Amino acid sequence: MTIRNYSVKGMHCASCAALVTKKLSALEGIVKADVNLAAETARIEFSGEPMSVEALNGVLEKYGFSLIEEAPPKAAAPEPVADRRASKKQEKLDELHRQKRQVLVALPLALVFFAVMLWHGAASAIAGVPHFPIDMESWNSITLLVSAWMLFGIGKPFLRGVASFIRTGAASMDTLIGLGSLVAWSYSAFAILFPTLRNRLGLPHESFADAAIVVIGFVLLGKYLEARSKMKTGEAIEKLIGLQAKSAIVYDNGQEIEVPVEAVVKGTMLVVKPGGRIPVDGVIFSGRSSIDESMITGEPVPVDKREGDPVIGGTINRQGAIIFTATGVGAETMLARIIAMVEEAQGSKAPVQHLADKVAGVFVPAVLALAALVFLLWLGIGTPALGFKSALAYGIMAMVGILVIACPCALGLATPTAIIVGTGLGARHGILVRNAESLEMLSRVDTVVFDKTGTITRGTPSVTNIEAFGETTTADELLALAAGIERHSEHPLAQAIVSAAKERHVEPAQVTEFKALEGVGVDALLGGKPVRIRKPGEADARPVIGQLQAEGKTVVMVERNDEMLGLIALSDTLKPEAKEAVAALRRMGKRVVMLTGDNRAAAAYMAKQVGIDEVIAEVLPSDKANAVRTLQANGRTVAMAGDGINDAPALALADVGIAMAGGTDVAIESAGITLLGGDIRKVAHAITLSRKTMRVIRQNLFWAFIYNVIGIPLAAGALFPLYGVFLNPAFSGIAMAGSSVSVVTNSLRLRAAKLGKSDRSV
């Protein structure tokens, strides 16, 4: 089995992605095709040798799509990957700018003609409303010219949708928009340009060209907003690629030589100095250090390393120079594997199928068939009763009325307007939504998975316990001594001790001759006597130490002149709102899981504090993604909340990724939802926002369709045999405008929605 990744050109709606998936999956030799609309990619599994791009495009191009194969990443060359992504991003930016220019022209025109359409409708139906100051004949001519420019200029993609439907039978939202706009414009052009023939046939004078302007203008706005949200899709990968070191220092016979990282091969001896980034994976040959591995583990406390310990490319060497042997380079490093996992997770996401796109394939041919059938019925049944001329006039009016009233203006507005208002409401409450897919999927989530560090906890260590041994030293004296020593160190634990002294208004002791002992602790002199802060050893066995370590706390011992004075325990602490956030999710009936790279004892202790019963601990980034995958395989719809680089694969793989705004850029770019301020109560609020928004979208779709359900039979002449009443096509335009007003008004109700009693605007 062979897997290849491709960029897909020409997709612009969920039905496009579904069509590409359908056509590729039907080809012999293809086991599976995953098409991602947001990333505009396709991941194809072949049973044997992959088909050529030319053969694949031979199938897709007649539907308006094409594939470009993405070359597999080289083993040790991150730069070409970055260059390739930069080129793709520039293409998307150019397309986005083109769409923006179109919207800036089309939307104001749509708003103007929409307002005039409503004015005409009101003047015809309501007594006392003045008529439009420009005479109808002149205004209709202006409308025809503007709509011709709109339809045959920036509306060409919609016309191509009609042509594609005629050629292949494959329908999309573009087909609906193009067909309705084209019929409205064509009849208007006939009525305006051939008035004598129009009058001879007894056809109405009304123009429907303004419908084409309104539909195209609003739909282009929706497409632009969608394209803008999709721009963020690849930024998570770009951030990860940016973490890769660009160079490495080779240690060769006592000499240090800087080389590009892609020149490093397995077995090379490398040097990393304090503050440097470790270029590739390896094993320490000599030296000791404290290494910040938070980008991988998510844990804020640096890890002490010595000879024989592994090091991970992309992590930061905080203290001491080390020499290590490269064991994993290029695509074999853990960071490269994380990049691959994020890419795979993003590519494997199935696009959400909106109801409007699902019905498009049935709705278009059904409307066409109905319009043709009604026309023939008027000719066949109406001619004997009314005469051919009257039957022909009624038949044409019925056909035009059906197609005009079926023009999907409200259908095109149903989702974008609700999403615009819903995302605006979320932003006011500190919930940033990247795309409509994430907002929609969040309403279906039944399981919420929390990372521990930086999500449920604050993400930084702080002093939790000070235990003075004996009666000669108080807790404040112990803290003063420790702060006096540690204020000379840049270690995060040292900074936490100094911060604790400040908070308690304890003056640090004055020490001299500070010295850091790699992997052991720190030394200094106080009044000429040695003082030391160190890790507890086997000889320091005390019940209190074991108890504190069982709670996941880091313990340091403080001694003076070889006398043990006491201990200080430090730990990451819970966010004050964590317990309330978990309780809110439980009330909503959600399953809550903690997922962490921390040890089981510490994870279980933290989980108990916030009311989480299910804990998955001691997991690497790949294990986090696998845990999410397992939940999904068991039928769960999963939201993953995290903040670290190590969470990125799981965030990307989850049905909805939720990132803390104070977390890493990579986590934020991998997620569909970002919570400002790191307040995890907003997870429940985001779910509420999603539910309310989806409810409004369903209501909008109802109103969009109900006008068609009621209006199409009326436009066809259903009342004529009983009451002699025939719906003039002009009223079809009014009904279409009314459905749009209903949709927009209903969406605006979201602005007043409440998301949670504890929610705060930001």
Side-chain angles (χ1 to χ4, degrees):
M1 185 176 293
T2 308
I3 298 176
R4 289 288 186 270
N5 295 314
Y6 303 85
S7 296
V8 186
K9 301 292 185 182
M11 293 194 304
H12 41 259
C13 67
S15 59
C16 292
L19 181 60
V20 174
T21 301
K22 179 181 178 181
K23 296 303 176 182
L24 289 175
S25 300
L27 294 177
E28 186 177 351
I30 292 181
V31 178
K32 184 181 180 183
D34 285 330
V35 179
N36 187 306
L37 175 63
E40 296 180 337
T41 59
R43 184 176 183 269
I44 304 177
E45 295 182 15
F46 298 93
S47 57
E49 287 298 315
M51 298 173 62
S52 67
V53 177
E54 291 75 16
L56 295 171
N57 284 338
V59 174
L60 294 178
E61 282 178 350
K62 62 183 178 181
Y63 299 98
F65 311 110
S66 61
L67 301 181
I68 300 175
E69 185 171 4
E70 296 184 352
K74 298 180 180 179
E79 207 58 41
V81 177
D83 291 344
R84 186 168 66 251
R85 289 190 168 275
S87 177
K88 289 178 64 177
K89 183 176 181 179
Q90 188 57 50
E91 289 180 11
K92 290 184 178 182
L93 278 172
D94 293 341
E95 174 63 18
L96 190 66
H97 291 154
R98 185 189 67 81
Q99 289 181 310
K100 184 178 181 179
R101 289 194 297 270
Q102 289 182 340
V103 168
L104 289 176
V105 174
L107 186 60
L109 288 173
L111 291 172
V112 169
F113 282 89
F114 184 59
V116 174
M117 182 190 297
L118 294 180
W119 190 338
H120 282 312
S124 302
I126 303 173
V129 176
H131 288 279
F132 192 60
I134 301 176
D135 67 274
M136 286 304 301
E137 185 174 345
S138 300
W139 180 251
N140 286 343
S141 299
I142 295 171
T143 303
L144 184 67
L145 291 174
V146 174
S147 62
W149 172 81
M150 185 85 88
L151 180 60
F152 298 103
I154 59 180
K156 281 182 180 178
F158 306 120
L159 296 181
R160 284 196 290 269
V162 176
S164 177
F165 171 68
I166 295 171
R167 188 173 64 254
T168 66
S172 67
M173 278 295 296
D174 280 2
T175 308
L176 288 170
I177 296 161
L179 184 62
S181 300
L182 185 61
V183 169
W185 185 87
S186 298
Y187 178 81
S188 301
F190 171 79
I192 293 171
L193 299 177
F194 303 100
T196 303
L197 181 57
R198 178 199 66 202
N199 294 333
R200 187 178 302 164
L201 294 173
L203 298 177
H205 296 196
E206 285 80 10
S207 169
F208 310 107
D210 48 4
I213 300 172
V214 173
V215 170
I216 292 173
F218 279 107
V219 171
L220 284 176
L221 173 63
K223 284 180 174 288
Y224 167 71
L225 295 174
E226 179 185 0
R228 190 175 64 174
S229 71
K230 285 161 60 177
M231 274 298 300
K232 297 285 186 180
T233 303
E235 291 191 8
I237 307 297
E238 294 173 13
K239 300 291 186 182
L240 286 169
I241 291 173
L243 292 174
Q244 295 174 311
K246 300 299 185 291
S247 63
I249 300 175
V250 175
Y251 183 78
D252 187 12
N253 293 325
Q255 293 187 336
E256 298 178 1
I257 305 169
E258 186 170 356
V259 299
V261 72
E262 54 264 29
V264 176
V265 297
K266 288 183 181 180
T268 303
M269 302 289 285
L270 302 171
V271 176
V272 182
K273 298 179 179 180
R277 187 181 297 275
I278 294 174
V280 297
D281 293 359
V283 175
I284 296 178
F285 176 76
S286 66
R288 295 186 177 187
S289 183
S290 179
I291 296 178
D292 181 356
E293 294 185 342
S294 59
M295 59 164 281
I296 298 297
T297 65
E299 298 306 313
V301 179
V303 181
D304 293 329
K305 300 279 187 174
R306 56 185 300 171
E307 292 87 346
D309 288 339
V311 291
I312 302 170
T315 57
I316 306 296
N317 181 29
R318 292 298 186 192
Q319 295 178 343
I322 58 172
I323 299 174
F324 73 96
T325 306
T327 59
V329 299
E332 298 175 350
T333 65
M334 181 174 288
L335 181 58
R337 290 197 296 271
I338 292 176
I339 293 173
M341 283 188 289
V342 174
E343 286 182 316
E344 181 180 356
Q346 290 183 338
S348 66
K349 279 189 173 179
V352 178
Q353 297 291 319
H354 294 296
L355 179 59
D357 290 311
K358 288 180 179 179
V359 303
V362 177
F363 187 62
V364 175
V367 169
L368 280 172
L370 180 62
L373 178 62
V374 167
F375 177 73
L376 293 175
L377 285 174
W378 270 106
L379 287 182
I381 299 175
T383 298
L386 304 172
F388 178 75
K389 180 179 178 181
S390 296
L392 177 63
Y394 282 124
I396 292 176
M397 285 193 294
M399 182 174 65
V400 172
I402 288 171
L403 291 173
V404 169
I405 206 167
C407 189
C409 184
L411 198 60
L413 291 171
T415 298
T417 53
I419 294 297
I420 291 168
V421 178
T423 52
L425 173 66
R428 292 199 305 272
H429 290 81
I431 302 167
L432 303 185
V433 181
R434 172 174 297 172
N435 52 53
E437 288 81 4
S438 295
L439 190 62
E440 179 173 345
M441 186 59 69
L442 193 58
S443 66
R444 307 176 192 171
V445 162
D446 55 32
T447 302
V448 179
V449 178
F450 283 108
D451 169 54
K452 180 178 75 69
T453 306
T455 305
I456 291 178
T457 66
R458 296 180 184 274
T460 55
S462 59
V463 173
T464 59
N465 303 80
I466 302 174
E467 297 282 345
F469 302 154
E471 300 179 355
T472 59
T473 305
T474 66
D476 283 352
E477 289 172 340
L478 189 68
L479 181 60
L481 177 58
I485 301 172
E486 296 287 19
R487 66 179 174 177
H488 298 284
S489 171
E490 295 181 356
H491 195 286
L493 293 181
Q495 295 172 5
I497 291 173
V498 173
S499 296
K502 289 181 179 178
E503 291 172 3
R504 301 187 185 204
H505 305 289
V506 172
E507 184 66 28
Q510 299 297 320
V511 301
T512 59
E513 298 187 28
F514 171 85
K515 182 180 180 182
L517 305 175
E518 295 175 6
V520 177
V522 290
D523 273 354
L525 292 178
L526 177 65
K529 295 181 179 180
V531 291
R532 172 176 290 185
I533 297 178
R534 61 174 176 80
K535 296 162 61 176
E538 294 181 1
D540 300 313
R542 292 172 182 252
V544 66
I545 295 176
Q547 180 182 346
L548 291 170
Q549 290 177 333
E551 294 175 0
K553 297 178 180 179
T554 300
V555 178
V556 296
M557 314 300 295
V558 183
E559 58 185 19
R560 178 177 57 199
N561 203 22
D562 295 328
E563 176 191 358
M564 187 61 62
L565 299 181
L567 63 80
I568 297 176
L570 304 97
S571 175
D572 193 4
T573 55
L574 290 172
K575 291 181 177 178
E577 72 275 7
K579 189 172 182 179
E580 181 184 343
V582 172
L585 290 170
R586 284 188 174 280
R587 287 194 298 271
M588 298 173 83
K590 307 302 179 185
R591 176 181 176 184
V592 183
V593 180
M594 178 190 284
L595 188 62
T596 178
D598 205 354
N599 68 74
R600 296 184 188 280
Y605 177 79
M606 286 291 188
K608 184 178 180 181
Q609 303 304 305
V610 295
I612 297 177
D613 299 325
E614 190 172 350
V615 180
I616 304 173
E618 299 178 0
V619 291
L620 294 174
S622 58
D623 297 321
K624 287 190 174 185
N626 288 335
V628 170
R629 188 179 286 109
T630 299
L631 288 168
Q632 291 171 325
N634 291 330
R636 313 298 295 193
T637 304
V638 180
M640 168 72 189
D643 74 320
I645 292 172
N646 61 309
D647 300 320
L651 288 169
L653 183 66
D655 296 284
V656 181
I658 302 175
M660 305 298 112
T664 63
D665 290 342
V666 174
I668 292 171
E669 299 304 340
S670 296
I673 307 287
T674 300
L675 306 182
L676 298 183
D679 186 345
I680 60 173
R681 287 175 297 187
K682 291 190 174 80
V683 173
H685 300 164
I687 293 174
T688 300
L689 172 67
S690 173
R691 288 176 172 176
K692 289 179 180 293
T693 303
M694 292 312 301
R695 186 182 302 122
V696 167
I697 288 176
R698 287 190 289 269
Q699 292 168 350
N700 285 350
L701 291 172
F702 168 79
W703 286 112
F705 282 115
I706 198 65
Y707 282 91
N708 288 330
V709 171
I710 297 173
I712 287 177
L714 295 179
L719 297 180
F720 188 83
L722 297 175
Y723 305 105
V725 176
F726 193 94
L727 182 67
N728 190 291
F731 289 99
S732 297
I734 295 173
M736 186 183 66
S739 65
S740 300
V741 171
S742 300
V743 163
V744 174
T745 303
N746 192 50
S747 295
L748 291 175
R749 292 191 307 109
L750 263 177
R751 293 187 299 180
K754 303 295 182 183
L755 302 183
K757 63 180 181 179
S758 60
D759 198 53
R760 298 183 297 273
S761 299
V762 294

